Amino acid sequence: MSEDIVARLRKGLPACWLKTGLRAAPKAKDPASEAINVASARWQRFAPVLAQACNIPSWDGVVRSPLRRYPRSPDWPQSLYVKCDHALPITGSVKARGGVYEVLCLAERIAAGNGLLNAGDGRYLSLLEEPARKALGSWTVVTASTGNLGFSVGVMARALGLKAEIHMSMDAKQWKKDRLRQIGACVVEHATDYTGTLAAARTGKPGERRHFIDDEASLDLFMGYTCGGMELASQLKDLDIEISERQPLFVYLPCGVGGAPGGITYALRAAFGPAVVCIFVEPVASACMLLALDKGRGEPQSVYDYGLDNRTDADGLAVSRASGLVLQKVGEDIDAVVALPDAMMRAAVRRVWAEAGLRLELSAAAGFAAIEPLHDVLKQTRATQLNPIWRRFDSGLHVVWTTGGSMLPEEEFVHLLA
Ligand SMILES: *Cc1c(COP(=O)(O)O)cnc(C)c1O
């Protein structure tokens, strides 16, 4: 089976990896919940600041997205919902959770370090006043990105008056670079893939007052994403939907380095224990999480070493190596990885636009495209080899996480639909 997987990936065919053996048990009273609470308290402290700094009409400064029911559709589960992170405020992608959150952590530290803020004193709006602007403006936030992370970090940094230096890989779309330059960020373009861009950004001139956001290794970034998982748990509760091992929650999460799906998984596992099934979805050419779990026994692997070329139009997922930090935090909580050719994601963009009017970028449609190949593999696998939770596939609740797209310029979207 596992030799097969690499052969399938090389041929550009969809492939599934399923976790075998024991699934993660609920971690009673583990430190996860505490760390997640710290992150959500920070988001709350910052809400008034975001509301004022971001200039979004009648927005309360809370970064949250709707949970929508998907219309009944052939071959897709009865009970299908969409967690609409493509419509998140500030930057219209899931990076408005992680990337924005790390910028907030940094701003808080700088202001506190200058005696301009006492954590918990409720005076966060002073961050937008002159003394704090001056202190923040002497710092540069640096990051490397295939597009959306740089976009979110750059937009948030500039909104708080920080300088931004954004290193973009060859995958990054032009409009994201243009937008960043318009708001005064310094955009550095690289002719390499994401891993190469990251290496270049890391070796940027060392100096004072530079903060590097490392997508492969940042705990702040990871924790920022956890709020998405908490939010889903509370939305399901509001709808009176109970999740249990009899009615499990199946969640489809597009995966690049793994930070966004990993942070969300971390929170969902804390909330639902073994009753949530976390399915990561990647392009076949960039199946770095699948390879880390199947071939690397939880250690990051380079897709190039397996004859894959990391070429995909799903720019948010064009990553050749998964994050070691994410594997360490949630590697054992990932129940399945589905790898897909671009054509299947493209078909999902069109279908979801036609059926539900959701405007998605390619990466963000991956979750929908994963449903049928996963279902096929479940049907073909002998019941004794499957973890019992998969038998609840038909009766479970399915949530597809749509991770970006509402800010795609019209011509980009029309091009995707063509
Ligand atoms: C970044 C991104 C992802 C995946 O996040 P990782 O933290 O890289 O795994 C998924 N979808 C979109 C649209 C993204 O921009």
Side-chain angles (χ1 to χ4, degrees):
M1 169 86 180
S2 85
E3 277 315 306
D4 268 9
I5 268 198
V6 176
R8 285 185 69 86
L9 295 173
R10 280 202 203 141
K11 287 186 205 145
L13 297 170
C16 292
W17 173 88
L18 297 180
K19 184 179 170 73
T20 50
L22 279 182
R23 296 182 64 253
K27 299 167 191 154
K29 267 268 52 37
D30 75 321
S33 324
E34 207 167 305
I36 295 165
N37 290 341
V38 168
S40 60
R42 180 168 288 112
W43 278 114
Q44 269 173 32
R45 291 199 293 277
F46 269 96
V49 180
L50 291 177
Q52 244 188 59
C54 294
N55 263 324
I56 304 168
S58 66
W59 179 50
D60 61 3
V62 178
V63 174
R64 84 162 89 66
S65 74
L67 177 67
R68 281 179 52 173
R69 179 143 202 162
Y70 195 85
R72 188 80 194 92
S73 180
D75 299 320
W76 283 359
Q78 285 264 345
S79 195
L80 179 59
Y81 286 77
V82 187
K83 181 65 178 142
C84 299
D85 272 10
H86 68 284
L88 276 179
I90 312 180
T91 56
S93 89
V94 69
K95 303 295 192 304
R97 298 189 188 277
V100 166
Y101 181 77
E102 181 151 352
V103 174
L104 301 186
C105 293
L106 175 67
E108 197 175 53
R109 279 200 301 276
I110 296 171
N114 284 277
L116 296 165
L117 203 65
N118 298 312
D121 76 352
R123 289 186 55 253
Y124 273 55
L125 283 173
S126 65
L127 278 170
L128 302 174
E129 289 160 13
E130 199 40 41
R133 293 294 281 194
K134 209 162 153 229
L136 295 172
S138 68
W139 278 75
T140 304
V141 185
V142 184
T143 197
S145 175
T146 62
N148 286 336
L149 179 65
F151 188 58
S152 289
V153 166
V155 167
M156 195 61 238
R158 296 303 299 142
L160 292 177
L162 292 143
K163 291 188 214 109
E165 179 184 308
I166 311 296
H167 294 256
M168 291 289 210
S169 72
M170 62 188 185
D171 314 281
K173 299 280 181 273
Q174 192 60 43
W175 70 271
K176 290 173 191 167
K177 299 183 231 176
D178 294 344
R179 269 286 302 276
L180 280 171
R181 288 188 172 123
Q182 271 164 26
I183 57 169
C186 163
V187 177
V188 186
E189 297 180 60
H190 295 269
T192 56
D193 78 349
Y194 175 68
T195 304
T197 302
L198 188 65
R202 273 198 190 114
T203 58
K205 40 181 185 326
E208 288 183 335
R209 302 190 171 171
R210 282 167 68 87
H211 176 78
F212 179 61
I213 296 184
D214 190 337
D215 200 11
E216 275 186 2
S218 163
L219 192 57
D220 283 343
L221 196 64
F222 180 86
M223 291 312 300
Y225 293 118
T226 61
C227 295
M230 297 308 287
E231 206 175 283
L232 174 60
S234 95
Q235 285 169 320
L236 292 172
K237 202 164 170 231
D238 288 346
L239 291 171
D240 272 331
I241 296 175
E242 204 180 322
I243 300 302
S244 66
E245 283 177 82
R246 300 196 42 177
Q247 199 202 216
L249 172 63
F250 295 87
V251 186
Y252 301 81
L253 299 157
C255 173
V257 291
I264 292 165
T265 293
Y266 189 70
L268 291 175
R269 189 67 74 202
F272 298 113
V276 61
V277 181
C278 298
I279 301 147
F280 284 31
V281 190
E282 302 179 302
V284 277
S286 311
C288 58
M289 190 58 82
L290 188 153
L291 290 171
L293 292 171
D294 188 69
K295 297 292 178 190
R297 296 165 184 270
E299 292 296 320
Q301 307 287 303
S302 166
V303 300
Y304 300 115
D305 293 343
Y306 293 85
L308 305 177
D309 64 7
N310 193 28
R311 285 190 180 270
T312 168
D313 281 337
D315 53 309
L317 314 179
V319 170
S320 58
R321 244 177 74 95
S323 153
L325 172 81
V326 170
L327 282 158
Q328 186 197 321
K329 300 283 284 183
V330 295
E332 298 197 344
D333 292 300
I334 301 171
D335 295 295
V337 185
V338 181
L340 301 166
D342 282 12
M344 289 179 74
M345 294 185 241
R346 219 172 296 235
V349 169
R350 287 193 286 267
R351 174 166 170 182
V352 166
W353 172 247
E355 291 181 346
L358 301 176
R359 186 190 182 88
L360 304 182
E361 58 183 273
L362 203 55
S363 305
F368 287 104
I371 297 173
E372 285 169 65
L374 175 63
H375 200 195
D376 288 345
V377 165
L378 293 175
K379 283 186 287 192
Q380 288 156 16
T381 309
R382 243 187 286 139
T384 51
Q385 291 180 336
L386 280 181
N387 191 288
I389 198 101
W390 291 109
R391 289 185 213 141
R392 308 279 181 185
F393 189 86
D394 292 326
S395 60
L397 187 89
H398 296 252
V399 174
V400 170
W401 215 285
T402 54
T403 45
S406 63
M407 293 191 186
L408 271 184
E410 186 61 22
E411 66 270 21
E412 293 274 331
F413 188 61
V414 168
H415 181 72
L416 254 183
L417 292 179

